[in-house]
Amino acid sequence: MATNSNKEIIYLPLEDVESEHCALIVEKGLAQVKGIETHKVELNNRRAAITVGKNEVVGEAVNAIRELGYGVSTVKHTFPVLGMTCASCASSAESIVSFQEGVINASVNFATGNLTVEYLPNMTDASKLQKAVQSIGYDLLIENENKQQETLEAIHAQKFQKLKSKTIWAIILSLPVVTIGMFFMDIPYANQIMWLFSTPVVLWLGKDFFINAWKQAKHRSANMDTLVALSTGIAYLFSVFNMLFEDFWHQRGLHAHVYFEAAAVIVAFILLGKLLEEKAKGNTSTAIKKLMGLQPKTVIIIQPDGTEKQIAIEDVHEGDVILVKPGEKIAVDGMVVSGSSYVDESMLSGEPVPVLKKESEKVFAGTINQKGSFRFEAVKVGKETMLAQIIKMVQDAQGSKAPVQKLVDKIAGIFVPVVIGIAIFTFILWLILGGDNGWVQGLLAAVTVLVIACPCALGLATPTAIMVGVGKGAEKGILIKDAESLELAKKVTAIVLDKTGTITEGRPQVTGIQWLNNNDTAKTILLSIEKQSEHPLAEAVVKHLEGVPTIALSLFDSITGKGAKANYENETYFVGNKKLLAENNITIASPLQKQADEWGSQSKTVIWFSDSKQALSVIAISDKIKETSVEAIKEIQEMGIDLYMLTGDNEATAKAIAQQTGIGHYKAEVMPQHKADFIKELQKQGKVVAMVGDGINDSTALATADVSIAMGKGSDIAMDVAKMTIISSDLTKIPQAIRLSKQTVATIKQNLFWAFIYNLIGIPIAAGILYPINGFLLNPMIAGAAMALSSVSVVTNSLRLKWKK
């Protein structure tokens, strides 16, 4: 439906706008957005209708609504873009998609070859976006996501083979041209032979450069292909003219040179550079390929009648019972229903020690069963599995842009037009100042400038390093959600740690038990009472006494806030706190009392077990500090980072944990909302704060911190909010993540430095700046080789990250 001014009305589907008051707030918010010409909120239809002057305003409108705390229903997708050859292609594809109606934001990552797009499903769809991308000479792969990866790999392999054969042919055909051009210029028909060999190289093997340059020109843009097409095209046409019209130059007293070898070799070198770059870029995404390869293609399910049946992974449904044999990979997330085995979870957590899985324990897709065999019920399948979520997070992170990339994108956008301008300026200068040979040398210098300039090295500098960094993190069990947090982690000056589940295991455990007389009947009675109790501490005792037999009790009674009691063979037994014992006039022997006092001073929870006359044993229960926490805290402090522990626990427990782990600053009895306030205080002091937590109560603090890190064994909400997740919940991964951030940012800086320096030095030399000093003019062929090398060197430098400790 169009308005009078022929402007299209755009409908934004709203979420959480339930009343006129909400609608009014949204109305006011939209009124603040510049570029929205008309707007109204249709409450019954749950949508906002806006007309805008330009498409970018839609994204601003959506952000404005979201900032007010309401939602807009959008679809987020990642599609592979086919046919891109350089960083400028990525920016062309990105801008055409960004201008499509209903697109909120779009970004194309040249390194991964992916378009990440968010759009309004009521305004556009994948096929419309595909048509837009096709209109400028590229393509989008829109398919079933499961098959997408296989199709993609086949397409990439095909493309690589095609590029390889083109490169080999270009080199074979260029060799005779170079040989004649260098050493045998005086043989008969030398020019014609060179023309014969160079024509297929430039016009057939290099035709894509010309086709793509023309498509760019039609949309008034230019990229890497424009530079190659201009340089080789000019060199080739100039040579053909000189060969056919030698007299034109002879009449002017000049020799008619041909530059077929330069045109052919430039194409050969640039194709070789692309081939090496493609190969290296394939290596940067190995982390994703490794993760993808973790899932088996088929599984054995147990049918209702008890028979086994092999089915494809795509056909597994929630509730199916799956059989896992020794050495097999686990296909989906689930819960063990029978049998037990050790499972290697190192691919998810980075922890090398296999974990025992028995009945009612969770198992995860991609992990490897060891020697035992078991059956498990599928709980999460397809995109819901932890492995699928990890793959998606890694892909999203690899596709995201670091803040430094935004500057580089701006430079890459104006790079090609600036280079063309420099080439024209070089030619004019040579014409004015170059004397008799000014025309020829000016043309050659201009061609060399076009050849040596490399926007690709600039375009690849950041994304390749981010890809390798995120991939390396995933292999080590550190999931990084976006490039920004990877870039920021190196600047962290303060880390705030939650206690329960972060520094400690998060599960109460029996850390000590002392008996008055160590007899087996007493243990049996204690276990039997605790098995009937619903108290969380009872679970710790049951776990500790695993393997002890149980007996039938009579008159079991749970006493709220104190413990429980039960009868066995006409004797009453009590389990609970000291208050329970005092109320029933039970005596405590001094060795047990002494032990209880010692545990109490260490802030452990003490529970008692007695018969109707005397205490039979005292038990200490505490939330055990993780084995790696002390080492990790020491390592973080050695890095010069301030450490703070926040806990909702009492002062005594907090103090004991802080002393045992070596943490200098701690706060006890902290409410969830106060954690976020504490982080804001640290930020006001100029600190870059990382928050590490695992529970729902940590989610506000995680959202407030500059860098948020969740523990993988914690709540899903904490992991959703956090920008990094430590899958194994091991604190030693935090210093690893900080080191990875430092290495990645250093690699980005090195890449950008070399890409800039290369262009800053290369372009003036190509223009002939050294000619007045020492008569040096750069050969276009050497410029082609240097250009190819610069891209390859940037990707190779990024790959060095993989092997750093």
Side-chain angles (χ1 to χ4, degrees), residues 701-712:
L702 286 167
T704 310
D706 300 296
V707 177
S708 44
I709 304 168
M711 292 288 151

Side-chain angles (χ1 to χ4, degrees), residues 627-646:
E627 285 173 21
T628 51
S629 291
V630 179
E631 178 198 333
I633 285 162
K634 188 177 169 218
E635 203 178 334
I636 291 167
Q637 285 171 333
E638 282 170 359
M639 293 171 106
I641 295 169
D642 297 334
L643 262 185
Y644 302 84
M645 179 181 80
L646 301 184

Side-chain angles (χ1 to χ4, degrees), residues 225-246:
D225 293 326
T226 313
L227 298 182
V228 178
L230 277 173
S231 55
T232 52
I234 291 166
Y236 178 80
L237 291 173
F238 184 56
S239 304
V240 171
F241 178 85
N242 290 358
M243 180 186 71
L244 298 177
F245 305 104
E246 283 180 71

Side-chain angles (χ1 to χ4, degrees), residues 103-351:
V103 169
I104 291 158
N105 53 53
S107 84
V108 174
N109 183 323
F110 176 47
T112 57
N114 284 344
L115 156 74
T116 304
V117 61
E118 185 180 8
Y119 58 88
L120 299 167
N122 56 330
M123 300 298 294
T124 188
D125 57 32
S127 57
K128 284 181 188 168
L129 300 180
Q130 185 186 35
K131 282 178 188 137
V133 173
Q134 284 169 342
S135 75
I136 56 163
Y138 310 116
D139 202 355
L140 273 195
L141 188 65
I142 51 172
E143 247 194 29
N144 177 328
E145 282 181 28
N146 289 339
K147 294 180 182 168
Q148 195 182 79
Q149 198 57 29
E150 289 166 31
T151 317
L152 255 185
E153 280 177 15
I155 288 171
H156 279 310
Q158 209 178 349
K159 182 183 166 188
F160 187 77
Q161 283 308 322
K162 199 173 166 190
L163 186 58
K164 195 173 173 183
S165 70
K166 270 187 178 182
T167 307
I168 292 167
W169 273 109
I171 291 168
I172 291 169
L173 293 170
S174 299
L175 278 172
V177 187
V178 174
T179 313
I180 295 170
M182 294 282 190
F183 310 108
F184 304 107
M185 273 308 290
D186 298 328
I187 61 164
Y189 302 109
N191 288 358
Q192 283 79 357
I193 295 167
M194 287 195 290
W195 182 37
L196 188 70
F197 279 104
S198 63
T199 300
V201 177
V202 177
L203 302 182
W204 172 49
L205 300 170
K207 72 175 187 293
D208 287 345
F209 296 123
F210 295 97
I211 293 167
N212 293 338
W214 172 244
K215 281 179 180 169
Q216 290 292 321
K218 279 199 295 192
H219 284 85
R220 292 199 182 131
S221 64
N223 66 3
M224 170 78 195
D225 293 326
T226 313
L227 298 182
V228 178
L230 277 173
S231 55
T232 52
I234 291 166
Y236 178 80
L237 291 173
F238 184 56
S239 304
V240 171
F241 178 85
N242 290 358
M243 180 186 71
L244 298 177
F245 305 104
E246 283 180 71
D247 291 351
F248 176 83
W249 298 108
H250 293 163
Q251 285 162 10
R252 287 161 178 75
L254 295 169
H255 184 64
H257 272 292
V258 292
Y259 298 96
F260 288 121
E261 78 279 14
V265 172
I266 287 167
V267 171
F269 269 138
I270 287 168
L271 287 173
L272 179 65
K274 276 185 184 290
L275 186 75
L276 294 172
E277 193 184 294
E278 203 64 38
K279 198 171 175 60
K281 263 165 51 186
N283 289 339
T284 60
S285 58
T286 49
I288 286 285
K289 285 183 192 152
K290 276 186 193 165
L291 288 169
M292 296 259 181
L294 290 174
Q295 215 173 16
K297 297 272 184 282
T298 59
V299 296
I300 294 169
I301 64 160
I302 308 294
Q303 294 181 293
D305 60 2
T307 56
E308 295 177 9
K309 183 188 179 189
Q310 190 172 41
I311 61 167
I313 181 90
E314 292 87 35
D315 301 330
V316 176
H317 298 293
E318 277 179 42
D320 285 349
V321 175
I322 297 165
L323 172 68
V324 183
K325 293 177 181 173
E328 284 185 345
K329 285 176 183 168
I330 290 162
V332 294
D333 292 3
M335 188 83 79
V336 178
V337 289
S338 67
S340 68
S341 176
Y342 281 91
V343 172
D344 177 0
E345 294 190 337
S346 59
M347 58 290 304
L348 293 185
S349 64
E351 298 304 310

